């Protein structure tokens, strides 16, 4: 557990970057610090490993005041990941990952073995081991950065906008894998971002900071979206917060209708409606076709409209509503956990389900883990 | 060419002395420049003082430095050590700034990562900062090498033998063969030293050539 205890940082030029911050990052959870640029996120993070010393207040890790710990020793027990990965350009991928183990005095063989294990763990090909960082894509560099931070198995990870500099698709991937990794590792993580969507997706707990470095609100993501503490937070979490909050609402039993389908490569038969759902041989939906256009020939890949998203029956209301809204037929496709078709649902049916659900009511001062962050939105 | 054919042993001896007088100071100067450059980078307030004094040192005429060196360090007047020390001073004058700039050019995010991982002191300097400064330092070292090879010639005037002797003697006695040999040998020596530095830097920086080979 990391506790910020009335922490203030004033730089020599008078700038107050962090103002009387009190906050607890629980063990094994992801605490996200989010806020506009310049609100003191990086400064707060760097005070944890004492790259910056607080002007007032204390940061306490598992009951120990960090101000009284040896600086280098403290840092070697804390993984740190930054925006451009900060990899050492003169070291190979494997040597980069092994940096902290070597600093801790591990021998070469053990370090290499551990580094290889981590390379695999963050989803990188073993063939990248002897490359230099400049030979990697941005996403790969970021993975190496995460592997390097994990190398000596530190209980704490500090992450400063680690996924901000990669393109949106890669970012999404990195986020998903990060959550999967955290599921296995249970690190105590403080994660900094300016992106509220990322904060909502990754945080077990989200702390919103305002410019001037004061804490505006700290809560679970669902609670934050439903109950912003003031105008600043409401504004910051954004206009779509009503829609976004649906991702924390598990779907109730929705009234699914059965859908007439055609298997890819077969003839549509007589046109029942303007849009016909196409599935593969395992009944996994692959897209929609307009039978009127296909006529009497078999349905080909090129006929498919792939715009619709798929909702999982055990997913969230956001997934269900999005499936209905994105479907060209307006019938949202619902699948089971193996990805096979169960049926379809209409937007107004999801909306009535939403109206039947209560908004989340939880005590803000007791931010235990909220509803599972399960985004059911695969591409159809 | 007749002249060279009958004097090549002398030329070789002079070339070896020349290499020694220019090369040893290069190593000594580099070693001394590292702490100076590191200090200039570490405490930005010292940067100006260090870089300015280094620049001023380089403006002292070489002949003056060769002559006063025995007075400063107490060596004998004809001791080659005078030249070695003086040339080391010139090398430091050129390299202190190069090292400081090379260390300063280490990207900020790399410095931050090093700090966050608990790198400090000598381990940080030799493990992270200096290796990354190699391309910049090598460029400075090449300039210093050529400069040393050319300045050392002046030492003939204070009685220290090297290839400069051929220039002085060839000029005084109007022996064209000797004069041309002196010039060519000096240039050749500078080129050899330069090639050695380039090769050394190449061995130390395999990562710079990996750039762009993204797959
Ligand atoms: N070394 C410094 N000296 C003076 N001001 C600083 C320094 N570092 C950061 N600041 C200021 O402190 C504020 C917070 O900075 P920072 O923590 O980097 O914000 P964020 O990471 O949220 O964008 C900003 O106004 C920034 O300009
Ligand atoms: Mg920042």
């Amino acid at each position: 557990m990391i506790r910020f205890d009335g922490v203030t940082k004033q730089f020599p030029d008078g700038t107050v970057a962090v103002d009387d911050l009190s906050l607890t990052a629980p063990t094994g959870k992801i605490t996200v610090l989010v806020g506009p640029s310049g609100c003191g996120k990086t400064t707060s993070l760097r005070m944890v490993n004492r790259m910056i010393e607080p002007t007032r207040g204390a940061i306490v890790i598992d009951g120990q005041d960090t101000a009284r710990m040896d600086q280098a020793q403290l840092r070697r027990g804390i993984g740190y990941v930054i925006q451009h990965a900060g990899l050492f350009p003169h070291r190979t991928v494997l040597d980069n990952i092994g940096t902290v183990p070597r600093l801790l005095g591990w021998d070469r063989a053990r370090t290499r073995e551990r580094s290889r294990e981590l390379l695999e763990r963050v989803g990188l090909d073993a063939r990248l081991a002897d490359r230099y960082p400049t030979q990697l894509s941005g996403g790969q560099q970021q993975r190496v950065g995460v592997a390097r931070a994990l190398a000596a198995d530190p209980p704490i990870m500090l992450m400063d906008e680690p996924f901000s500099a990669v393109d949106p698709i890669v970012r999404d991937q990195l986020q998903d894998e990060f959550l999967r990794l955290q599921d296995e590792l249970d690190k105590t993580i403080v994660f900094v971002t300016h992106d509220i969507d990322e904060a909502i997706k990754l945080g077990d707990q989200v702390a919103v900071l305002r410019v001037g470095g004061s804490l505006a609100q700290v809560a679970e993501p669902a609670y934050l979206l439903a109950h912003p503490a003031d105008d600043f937070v409401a504004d910051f979490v954004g206009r779509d917060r009503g829609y976004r909050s649906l991702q924390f609402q598990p779907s109730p039993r929705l009234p699914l209708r059965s859908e007439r389908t055609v298997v890819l490569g077969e003839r549509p038969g007589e046109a029942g409606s303007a849009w016909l759902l196409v599935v593969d041989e395992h009944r996994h939906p692959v897209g929609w076709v307009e039978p009127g256009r296909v006529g009497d020939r078999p349905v080909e890949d090129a006929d498919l409209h792939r715009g619709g998203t798929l909702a999982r029956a055990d997913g969230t209301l956001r997934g269900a509503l999005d499936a209905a809204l994105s479907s060209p037929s307006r019938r949202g496709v619902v699948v089971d956990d193996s990805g096979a078709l169960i049926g379809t649902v209409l937007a107004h049916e999801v909306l009535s389900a939403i109206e039947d659900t209560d908004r989340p009511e939880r005590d803000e001062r007791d931010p235990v883990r909220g509803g599972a962050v399960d985004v059911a939105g695969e591409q159809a | 060419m007749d002249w060279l054919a009958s004097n090549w042993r002398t030329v070789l001896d002079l070339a070896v002395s020349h290499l020694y007088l220019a090369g040893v100071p290069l190593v000594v100067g580099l070693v001394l420049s590292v702490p100076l450059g590191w200090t200039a980078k570490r405490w930005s307030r010292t940067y100006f003082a260090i870089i300015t004094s280094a620049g001023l040192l380089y403006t002292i005429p070489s002949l003056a430095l060769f002559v006063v060196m025995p007075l400063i360090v107490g060596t004998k007047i004809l001791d080659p050590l005078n030249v070695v020390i003086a040339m080391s001073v010139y090398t430091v004058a050129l390299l202190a700034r190069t090292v400081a700039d090379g260390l300063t050019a280490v990207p900020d995010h790399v410095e931050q990562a090093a700090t966050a991982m608990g790198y400090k002191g000598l381990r940080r300097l030799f493990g992270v900062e200096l290796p990354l400064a190699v391309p910049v330092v090598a460029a400075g070292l090449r300039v210093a090498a050529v400069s040393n090879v050319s300045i050392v010639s002046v030492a003939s005037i204070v009685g220290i033998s090297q290839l400069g002797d051929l220039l002085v003697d060839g000029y005084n006695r109007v022996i064209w063969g000797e004069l041309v040999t002196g010039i060519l040998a000096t240039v050749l020596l500078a080129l050899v030293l330069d090639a050695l530095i380039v090769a050394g830097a190449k061995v130390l920086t395999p990562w710079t050539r990996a750039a762009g080979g993204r797959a």
Side-chain angles (χ1 to χ4, degrees), chain A residues 311-374:
Chain A
R312 293 256 305 254
D314 59 355
T316 64
L317 281 170
R318 179 174 175 166
L321 185 58
D322 195 69
L325 294 178
S326 63
S327 166
S329 69
R330 300 290 170 232
R331 302 192 291 279
V333 181
V334 181
V335 295
D336 64 17
D337 53 9
S338 76
L341 175 69
I342 306 179
T344 53
V345 65
L346 296 173
H348 74 81
E349 293 163 345
V350 183
L351 290 174
S352 16
I354 292 168
E355 279 162 9
D356 294 341
T357 333
D358 292 323
R359 310 181 84 204
E361 295 289 349
R362 268 186 217 94
D363 187 355
E364 187 184 341
R365 278 151 303 181
D366 181 28
V368 284
R369 178 150 201 172
V373 186
D374 185 9

Side-chain angles (χ1 to χ4, degrees), chain B residues 5-60:
Chain B
S6 46
N7 293 284
W8 65 271
R9 272 201 166 280
T10 321
V11 174
L12 208 61
D13 284 348
L14 291 176
V16 169
S17 313
H18 203 111
L19 184 63
Y20 172 82
L21 292 171
V24 170
L26 219 49
V27 177
V28 174
L30 179 61
V31 169
L32 292 177
S33 296
V34 169
L36 278 175
W38 182 79
T39 307
K41 180 213 166 166
R42 176 76 197 277
W43 291 282
S44 50
R45 254 175 263 181
T46 65
Y47 183 91
F48 184 76
I50 290 175
I51 300 312
T52 309
S53 358
L56 284 176
L57 281 180
Y58 197 71
T59 65
I60 303 173

Side-chain angles (χ1 to χ4, degrees), chain B residues 34-35 38 99 103 119-132:
Chain B
V34 169
W38 182 79
V99 172
L103 293 177
Y119 260 115
K120 49 182 195 178
L122 289 183
R123 202 153 178 185
R124 180 188 184 108
L125 179 64
F126 288 105
V128 180
E129 295 172 335
L130 264 188
L132 289 174

Side-chain angles (χ1 to χ4, degrees), chain A residues 1-21:
Chain A
M1 189 177 81
I2 307 168
R3 204 175 79 233
F4 288 78
D5 213 350
V7 174
T8 294
K9 176 65 193 183
Q10 181 167 28
F11 285 106
D13 68 358
T15 312
V16 176
V18 178
D19 190 11
D20 196 21
L21 178 66

Side-chain angles (χ1 to χ4, degrees), chain B residues 1-159:
Chain B
M1 286 304 104
D2 286 350
W3 186 89
L4 179 59
S6 46
N7 293 284
W8 65 271
R9 272 201 166 280
T10 321
V11 174
L12 208 61
D13 284 348
L14 291 176
V16 169
S17 313
H18 203 111
L19 184 63
Y20 172 82
L21 292 171
V24 170
L26 219 49
V27 177
V28 174
L30 179 61
V31 169
L32 292 177
S33 296
V34 169
L36 278 175
W38 182 79
T39 307
K41 180 213 166 166
R42 176 76 197 277
W43 291 282
S44 50
R45 254 175 263 181
T46 65
Y47 183 91
F48 184 76
I50 290 175
I51 300 312
T52 309
S53 358
L56 284 176
L57 281 180
Y58 197 71
T59 65
I60 303 173
S62 49
L63 192 53
L65 207 52
F66 295 157
V67 171
V68 299
M69 203 46 80
L71 303 179
I72 301 174
V73 293
T75 39
K76 294 212 183 66
I77 291 181
L78 287 181
D79 194 336
L81 200 55
N82 295 327
V83 176
V84 171
I85 294 174
M87 295 314 299
S88 300
V89 168
Y90 285 127
T91 309
V92 168
L94 285 174
L95 285 186
R97 183 190 189 129
T98 304
V99 172
D101 292 350
L103 293 177
T104 310
V106 174
D108 195 41
H109 59 107
V110 174
E111 295 273 16
Q112 282 168 27
T115 306
M117 283 185 281
Y119 260 115
K120 49 182 195 178
L122 289 183
R123 202 153 178 185
R124 180 188 184 108
L125 179 64
F126 288 105
V128 180
E129 295 172 335
L130 264 188
L132 289 174
V134 166
V136 176
V137 173
L141 204 56
R142 291 176 68 184
V143 174
V146 172
S147 153
N148 279 12
V149 168
S150 104
I151 294 176
V152 158
S153 309
V154 177
S156 297
I157 300 174
V158 293

Side-chain angles (χ1 to χ4, degrees), chain A residues 49-217:
Chain A
N49 64 0
R50 291 182 56 200
M51 288 170 77
I52 295 175
E53 301 282 355
T55 314
R56 268 192 305 284
I59 293 173
V60 180
I61 297 179
D62 294 332
Q64 249 194 310
D65 187 347
T66 53
R68 282 200 282 275
M69 296 166 74
D70 175 71
Q71 227 175 40
Q73 216 163 345
L74 171 75
R75 287 173 187 164
R76 286 170 199 169
I78 299 178
Y80 187 69
V81 187
I82 52 180
Q83 192 172 42
H84 293 284
L87 299 181
F88 298 125
H90 63 301
R91 294 199 186 145
T92 62
V93 165
L94 215 59
D95 290 343
N96 261 287
I97 299 176
T99 303
V100 179
R102 293 292 286 164
L103 281 171
L104 291 172
W106 294 21
D107 63 47
R108 211 171 273 280
R110 181 170 168 224
T111 303
R112 284 186 84 77
E113 189 185 335
R114 171 73 176 155
S115 303
R116 282 191 194 284
E117 178 192 322
L118 277 161
L119 194 65
E120 193 186 311
R121 188 135 218 190
V122 297
L124 286 174
D125 196 312
R127 280 174 302 184
L128 298 180
D130 296 321
R131 295 255 181 100
Y132 288 98
T134 47
Q135 296 172 294
L136 304 180
S137 69
Q140 290 170 332
Q141 290 187 25
Q142 219 49 56
R143 285 168 203 251
V144 176
V146 172
R148 183 175 65 176
L150 288 170
D153 204 18
I156 294 173
M157 295 270 281
L158 306 177
M159 308 182 78
D160 195 347
E161 312 221 7
F163 308 139
S164 300
V166 294
D167 67 69
I169 293 173
V170 175
R171 186 185 313 146
D172 227 43
Q173 252 173 359
L174 289 173
Q175 289 168 345
D176 291 340
E177 284 172 31
F178 167 67
L179 285 175
R180 178 182 54 75
L181 210 59
Q182 167 65 358
D183 248 15
E184 299 166 15
L185 300 177
D186 288 327
K187 302 287 180 194
T188 305
I189 296 173
V190 184
F191 189 108
V192 159
T193 179
H194 62 264
D195 175 0
I196 184 69
D197 285 313
E198 185 169 65
I200 297 289
K201 178 172 176 182
L202 301 183
D204 292 311
Q205 163 183 263
V206 176
V208 184
L209 302 180
R210 58 176 113 237
V211 176
S214 60
L215 182 63
Q217 186 174 7

